[in-house]
Amino acid sequence: MYAFCIARGCKIFANHQLVKLLIMFKMIIVLMMTAVMQAGAVVYAQKATIEVSNAPLREVFAKLRKQTGYHFLFLTDDLKAAEPVSLDVRDASLNEVLDLCFDGQPLDYQIRGKRVLISRKGPQAAVGKPLVQEREVTGTVTDENGVPLPGATISLKGSTLAIATDESGNYRIKVPDQSAVLEFSLMGFDAQEVAVNGRSVIKVALKTSVSDLDEVVVIGYGTVKRSDLTGSVSTIKSEDFNPGQSGGVQGLIQGKLPGVRVVESSGEPGGGYSISIRGAGSISAGTGPLWVVDGSPMAGGLRTFNPDDIESIEVLKDASATAIYGSRAAGGVIMVTTKKGGNVPLQINYHGSASVNHPVNNITLLTPEQYMEVSNAIIDDGGGNPEDRIESTGAGTDWMAEIFNPGALEHNHSLSFSGRLSDLNYYVSLNATDEAGVIRNSGFQRYGGRINLNYGGSNKFKFGTNLRFAHIEDQLINKAGVNENAGAVYAALFFDPTLPVRNESGGFTTAELLTINNPVAILEGEDRGRRINQFAGNVYGEYSILPSLSVRLNVGFDIGDNRNDSYLTRQTLVGAARGGVGNVDQTQNFDHVVEGTIRYAETFNDHQLGLLAGVEMQKFKSSGLSMHAEGFAADGTGTDNMALGNPETFTIGSSRAGNSLASAFGRANYTFKDRYLLTATMRADGSTRFGTNNKFGYFPSFAFAWHLGKEPFMEPVSFIDELKPRISWGRTGNQSIGDFLSITTFARGATAIWNEAQQVGLTPARLPNEDIRWETSQQLDVGLDFALFNSRVVGHFDYFQQKTFDMLMAVPLAVETGFATQIRNIGSIANRGFEFDISTRNLVRQGFSWTTNLNMATVHNEVTDIGNTLQVISGASGFTNSFLVTRVGQPLRSYFGYEVAGVWQTDDDFSQTTQNVKPGDLKYVDQDANGEINANDRVVLGNAFPDLTLSFGNTISYKNFALVVFIEGVQGVNMLNNNLVDTYFPLQNRRNKYAEPYLNRWTPENPSNKYPSFVSPGSQGQNVVNSLTVEDASYIRLKSVQLSYDFPSRLLGNALRGAQLYVAATNLKTWSDYSGFDPALNSGGDPNAMIDYNAYPLARKFQIGVKVDF
Amino acid sequence: MRIPVRLKNELTTMNTRHFIPFMLLLCSLFTSCEDMLEERPYSELDPSDVLTTVNGIEKVLVSAYGNMVWNNVKFRLTRFEGWPADLSWQTGGVENRTALTIMNWTWDASQDQFIGAYSRHYDAIRDANIILGNLDLVTGIADNKKASLTAEARFIRAWAYYRLYIYFGATPLRTSIDDPAEMPKASQEEMLQFIETELLAVIPDLPEPGAEAQYGRVTSGGARALLAKFYLNSKQWEKAAAACQDVIDMDKYQLFPSFEDLLKAENDGNSEMILVTPLSPDGPALNYMEGAFPPGFASWPEKNVVNTSWENHGTQHRLRESFYHSFDPKDKRREPILTSYVNDRGVTVDLLNGAEDNIRSFRFWPDVNAQGNRHGNDLPEIRYADILLARAEALNELNGPSEEAINLINQVRARADVHDLSVTDFATKEALRDHLVQERAWEFYEEGHRRTDLIRMGKFVEFARKRGVENAEEYRTLYPIPQSALDANPLLEQNPGY
């Protein structure tokens, strides 16, 4: 990890703390690896040498295991019935030794793979105390595919009675009464409990228990065993989700998966996230991933998810995995899979948690005294109006403290009912979340539910549904706007700290020299709410024509209704000036997808073939309504009766739009000798967004993986469980641009006043581009999956190279045409990087285990072509604009501004510059050496693509306790601190500022070369984006610590099947040089061009929770 | 387990029954995809619905007029015409970041106000060209209607080119929707000729003042006045004098009696207004006062101005005291200058004897119906006083001081209650010109003409240097072609010096 950075010359290690941490990381990894290597560095022999006398079987098994590497699986009770043995064998085969051991014993053994299964002889060898045997139950135990399982153990719950299945998987057991419960178990499969319920025949299909290699991974239109994956897919199971994340799916996986960057745009309840996978491949079209929920691609609604309903999240990263989603997959694909009912009787799970949340605030502002002292000193030095001198501070107010709500309470409840009823698996859940924000008067409430039903069993026909519904009520605070239109965070940062909250007459104080609201007046005078209703899900049916051939139809839908209200009362400056201002915006969407697939899977000797073909239709429809009114008679009714406003101020708006996709796709998997795996996919997408001349796009992919570890010549290397190099190539598309770009339409134009009344004009909406098409990303991925030492070390490594071409870009048009830009397919961007993750089980001793996960990723982004355009300058945040540049040879949207060389000193040569500068002013680098600092002196100051992202998780469990510690970090990344801009270049002298630069400002006595005098900060014009305000936003964060305790069954009694109590802490500590609220809080929302401006601070959460299974 | 034969059959039929609708659904998916890829832009109009009807064309014309109103209306008064010149300046707020470069004459091509103004005028030109290129498609349009719509569109286009010329010099001359996207600058002569011939051509087809369909649309008087100002600013003195006389001879316009009340919102549309940009609190509105109000402005007791609901921003639009003191104390035109006020703590603040150059222009008297910072005062483009002083100036430039010129000036001074001038007061053409520099300052301060007047009269650079602006260079009499316009059109050249 170190090497990447040094090679790229990044400057992140300037911070000693970070260096130390990184070195610490490195050492931990080295130690960890060494420990694991030693534990596993035994070369297993094929033959065994055993010399024991009158030894218990268990001891013999232990010796055999050491020498041969075979695992022995048995029930302890079974071994109790066995006689001790005496052996003296040399270089004997395993079978020979075992035959000797089991001679005359009441036990039998079978060798399956690397495991030796030990069971009692004979199907009816019931032992234990005699029971009143009133009823006999018979049946068969099979695996999921109906293959009989011999040697499975069936035991009667609550007794010591146990029997095993015969060679055909049949069993016969006597049970005392109808309410008896049978436990079916077999090593390698998940144990299952089945209530007899009066039945005499019970067939059971055991589910293969999942090891890392056998786990099933969800991919596009199907699933695959992890060992059979040919593409790059990262998986996270619900138990590994970040704790304390109630407001969005993205937070659950933040930092957990290499190459998947989740950045919070707001710390408010209900969240705000942006997510990018493997960099960014587009200038003008969206770069976010496609979300697929239970197999149905859907847009939005991530807030409405109950985290407890999610089983796993898979992120498809390389083109082999994503190309089957074609024109929307260039930003990667995230698959969310929700929980299904298991093959068990009714289980009731309750998960409740409560937390106390505190704002994380690293900003130090001037105190009232410092504020007075510094403001007056600057006035004395000639900056500002002598009349504005401050005479006394009064009591002063800590405005941050006034708006914060430390100790904000949050509680979450989730109740689920799941299980199996005849051929129907069900999972039904309800959830409620109520989270108060760490800023007063903000909060989030969600009430939701889920119904997942799957009918199947042994029938050829299967169907099922996954339904999600939720209602959200959000109290928001204003995060946008500037001056009197800004929100509480902005006001708290800048408001005069010498003023009290309220004046003598009880009203809110105002500051006449500031066009900013009193921060408390904003919180109390603004009412912003969001209500969301969502109903989404899918229904599918599947029919097996032949065992190897099936067809499936899936219909998915997403109905959303989103209403935003805001009302400014007369307590705010704007509300007072306009007599109350109300806004209501409502948007509704109805999206649906219909998808038909046909599947074929067959094995011919050494050849395995899997085929999938499908067609899909998708439609996205949305409509919006908006209204605005001012001049209300009184504030009481707010937006609940907009008609009470002054009709002259009414404005209305409505919109309706839609787009559709029609697609066909297919996939072929071919495996030869279980060792050589080939995957090919193809998708054709037709989209309404594409030009009439380019309706369909085609997206192929190919991948090859090789189970090197299974090759005969690798057999001697017994510590390798899996070694699978893989390579993939493919193309995906991006069509996240507006609708109707290929046709001419007229939309609302400029307005004019005729006869004192407003006239609405019409003007062409755009210059159409009939050739517009998807942009194409071509990606090459080389990867290696490995599992070593009985899967004690599992890891994945990927190198990828992605190139986007035919990029969708808003190409600047000659301004004289009257059209600013036209979306065209032009130019290209390249991304490349490494991803690495490794999980190790460092220690597994009796009752104690320690596992570690480490992941790292790098991404290098470079714009390689933008057609004839020289550069595209963009960026807007508050009053700061035009600070991002997209240029060939640089990362997308690099920060663009002035380089600060230092501060003008008294004895400098002022003839070098024609700028109006004095000692104490910032000294900018005159890049073109023409004596003048102007727009031509701007240079690239950095970018928001991290050189390195890393995370490091440890789980230590002892007996019933488990401790999870999770650390994540980002290195070599910049962010524009736009609040720091307002400190360096205050809009009004009397605004409060960050303390550090002002307390250490340049004066003749303190000739700082870092901080200016602030006497005339604006004298050189708009150079506000510079090497001081674009900051290094690298950080290392102790993201979460969680301690849990599982109550042992002996404490639980009969009513409970399990119970867990946990405590967790989130966002505990962050190490960073960044001077704003948080180095990863990107209120700008674009993860590839991070901007910090009046962000809602993150919450530090202390949570306690309980999980109970009935 | 064995399944009885009968049951098995039943199962099979049941499954087939499931299977058939299932397959039908599946098959329906394979039907023509092209049909499903038709999507209607519900919220936008088809060009054929807009360009073939009179009503549709008029809506495009609204957009053309609307684009002549600047995105940020006060910018013309402040950033373009005010702060680079001698009467006003600015402090405070984010505006100061830009204002400093303007007051110090260090503005550069990357600044927003330049691309804003440049592109907005070309948007108006685009709308005008769309109308002119499609009028033939309009069904059932009367000939005189077609002629007046054509004349209005051509007027807007010529007006836009006039303003571009005033600020940026010659720019690309797009006169048809079929012109190529990228065009070079027109020559100086082409530009001047185009504006002149277009204005001359449309005057006969435009309605007489008062006969326009709605107030706010151009009349023949407006076109004549613009032609007069165009001649004046391109120093075609003879034509300017004649064109002014044409406007005077129309006998439609007269000076409004009160200078103080002239620009109040309630007097919008008074008979002094020849060409205006109509503004309203709920449409495009005037936002000048947001900066003219001093901090905590509560009232101006002498004038009964009480702030009930006006937004007051951090930016401070200030006048220079030297200008205030240049007035004859009796001059009514000094009245709308705020020199002291009561702030919201009830304290009377003296602006004249406090911070330097801190007095405020209340020319655009705060509108009682304003919403926030949005005031409804119309912005005069050309008013009758301007025509009178323009003719006086043109006559002076042609023949030196004359009785007629002095009489014209005296008409304007009479309203201000200041003494008449006499032709003997001015020995030379230069002396009268210098007086006109001053007279126009008194008459038009903060009205958006100052920079243009000073440039025409050769005082722009001189005055700036006198104020101590070291960077005041002759090439800055033109603003730079905006950087993003240069980036997007390789045929475009930057103005010399930038």
Side-chain angles (χ1 to χ4, degrees), chain B residues 99-123:
Chain B
L100 275 165
T101 69
I102 293 169
M103 297 182 298
N104 292 331
W105 286 46
T106 57
W107 58 76
D108 66 52
S110 72
Q111 291 182 350
D112 292 345
Q113 74 266 19
F114 296 131
I115 188 63
Y118 188 86
S119 65
R120 193 88 173 170
H121 286 116
Y122 273 109
D123 288 352

Side-chain angles (χ1 to χ4, degrees), chain A residues 656 745-746 755 816 818 987 1018, chain B residues 43-45 93 100 118 126 215:
Chain A
R656 181 178 163 194
T745 60
F746 275 73
N755 274 0
E816 297 83 21
L987 300 184
Chain B
S43 305
E44 294 170 6
L45 290 166
L100 275 165
Y118 188 86
R126 172 202 61 202
Y215 182 75

Side-chain angles (χ1 to χ4, degrees), chain A residues 478-491 494 526 528 877-879 978-979 982 987 991 1093-1094:
Chain A
N478 179 16
K479 299 179 292 291
V482 285
N483 291 342
E484 71 279 6
N485 295 308
V489 174
Y490 179 97
F494 301 126
E526 286 195 9
R528 287 170 192 268
S877 168
F879 284 123
N978 202 21
N979 285 124
D982 284 348
L987 300 184
R991 292 190 177 199
Y1093 197 47
N1094 313 323

Side-chain angles (χ1 to χ4, degrees), chain B residues 293-308:
Chain B
F293 291 126
F297 176 80
S299 67
W300 182 1
E302 293 84 354
K303 299 280 181 189
N304 283 326
V305 180
V306 178
N307 185 4
T308 48

Side-chain angles (χ1 to χ4, degrees), chain A residues 176-210:
Chain A
D177 56 53
Q178 298 201 353
S179 62
V181 175
L182 294 177
E183 277 182 342
F184 295 78
S185 61
L186 180 63
M187 200 41 80
F189 293 85
D190 286 343
Q192 232 183 74
E193 285 186 14
V194 179
V196 173
N197 278 341
R199 287 177 290 179
S200 58
V201 176
I202 298 176
K203 284 175 68 176
V204 169
L206 291 181
K207 216 174 123 190
T208 318
S209 69
V210 178

Side-chain angles (χ1 to χ4, degrees), chain A residues 835-879:
Chain A
E835 287 158 10
F836 175 60
D837 71 85
I838 185 165
S839 4
T840 58
R841 278 180 284 156
N842 309 325
L843 275 175
V844 187
R845 293 276 153 76
Q846 284 175 337
F848 183 83
S849 76
W850 173 31
T851 61
T852 298
N853 295 293
L854 175 76
N855 76 53
M856 290 187 263
T858 71
V859 61
H860 178 79
N861 177 282
E862 186 183 330
V863 175
T864 50
D865 179 14
I866 48 171
N868 294 328
T869 311
L870 190 66
Q871 59 189 22
V872 180
I873 294 178
S874 57
S877 168
F879 284 123

